[in-house]
Amino acid sequence: MIITHSFPIPVHLSKPVCVEAPSETNAVLGKMMKLTCISCLKREEVKAKTYVNWYYMTKVEQGVTPDKTLIYKYEDDFPMELNGPFKGRLVWNGSQDLQDLSISIVNVTYNDSGVYECHVLRVFEFDSFTPSAFIMRNLTLKVIEEASPDATALYSEIMMYLLLVFLTFWLLVEMVYCYRKISKSDELVQDIGVTCPCACPLISPVVPAPVVSSNCILLCHPPVPH
């Protein structure tokens, strides 16, 4: 009797990796545009309260205090759109773990060009003290009428066409080579049929064998491998 024991194998669920990627800076007129703001947590097991403020500025000049307009905020686990030029056109586009704190602009207009700032304040919850961390991300948005072609997609398309041309040329070369090889084989068979008798001559000590070409000899009496 064989007794087997089964042991549970722990399975660890994979978690997405946070990467602080920069935001796109070109928006297409009339389309939706995502303003990316990513703030990765170094230790996700530490609880923290997150506060986010999005500001808009028409332009930033050196030596001049910019006129910032608060357009969106996230506070007490609740996103809130504020009154202003973007009222009704801003949508929260952040992640559930609050590492992605992005927003999106619906129906982009030319007036949306400018500088956007994302202010993130995290208040960590420990037993004895509550430290905080503040970060700021900014981006300069430019509104264009039509989307410019993607350089990567254009390069991939060119390489695909070059590969097709190369494969077509290689196939033609192979076809010509095979055709010439078959033609030479047919010519050799025809030459052998003309110069050789229909049947291989029998070698007899009494009757002398007829004179045949070397190709016939090879066909009638192939060499024996040693």
Side-chain angles (χ1 to χ4, degrees):
M1 181 177 181
I2 300 176
I3 301 176
T4 59
H5 299 277
S6 59
F7 300 94
I9 300 176
V11 177
H12 301 281
L13 298 178
S14 60
K15 295 183 179 180
V17 178
C18 179
V19 178
E20 296 184 356
S23 177
E24 294 289 338
T25 56
N26 289 334
V28 181
L29 182 66
K31 303 295 184 178
M32 178 181 287
M33 176 63 186
K34 180 180 180 180
L35 306 179
T36 304
C37 178
I38 299 177
S39 174
C40 298
L41 292 170
K42 304 303 180 182
R43 297 182 60 183
E44 298 183 14
E45 68 274 9
V46 178
K47 295 182 179 181
K49 289 185 178 180
T50 303
Y51 304 89
V52 184
N53 289 332
W54 274 95
Y55 293 92
Y56 169 73
M57 296 164 285
T58 55
K59 59 182 179 178
V60 176
E61 298 179 357
Q62 187 174 4
V64 179
T65 303
D67 184 14
K68 297 182 181 181
T69 302
L70 182 61
I71 59 175
Y72 205 92
K73 66 188 304 183
Y74 184 95
E75 187 175 351
D76 297 330
D77 299 329
F78 185 76
M80 184 185 307
E81 187 180 13
L82 304 177
N83 294 325
F86 297 91
K87 181 66 175 180
R89 296 194 300 120
L90 295 180
V91 179
W92 176 254
N93 205 352
S95 60
Q96 187 176 2
D97 59 2
L98 296 180
Q99 296 192 95
D100 187 353
L101 310 161
S102 308
I103 61 175
S104 294
I105 306 176
V106 181
N107 192 16
V108 173
T109 65
Y110 283 117
N111 295 329
D112 298 336
S113 299
V115 181
Y116 294 82
E117 284 187 355
C118 172
H119 296 188
V120 181
L121 175 64
R122 297 192 190 275
V123 180
F124 300 94
E125 300 177 0
F126 291 96
D127 296 334
S128 57
F129 62 102
T130 55
S132 62
F134 175 80
I135 65 165
M136 181 182 69
R137 303 276 189 268
N138 60 63
L139 63 103
T140 301
L141 187 67
K142 180 182 179 181
V143 179
I144 57 179
E145 185 175 358
E146 295 181 356
S148 58
D150 188 3
T152 304
L154 182 61
Y155 176 78
S156 300
E157 187 175 356
I158 294 175
M159 292 301 297
M160 181 185 67
Y161 283 122
L162 291 178
L163 181 61
L164 289 176
V165 171
F166 172 77
L167 291 177
T168 304
F169 177 75
W170 176 79
L171 181 60
L172 290 175
V173 172
E174 287 293 325
M175 291 177 63
V176 172
Y177 172 77
C178 292
Y179 176 77
R180 295 183 62 182
K181 191 173 182 180
I182 294 174
S183 299
K184 288 184 178 180
S185 300
D186 293 340
E187 292 176 359
L188 180 61
V189 171
Q190 292 177 1
D191 293 340
I192 294 175
V194 172
T195 57
C196 296
C198 296
C200 293
L202 297 176
I203 300 177
S204 173
V206 179
V207 180
V211 179
V212 295
S213 64
S214 60
N215 292 333
C216 293
I217 295 175
L218 290 176
L219 290 175
C220 297
H221 306 284
V224 179
H226 296 287

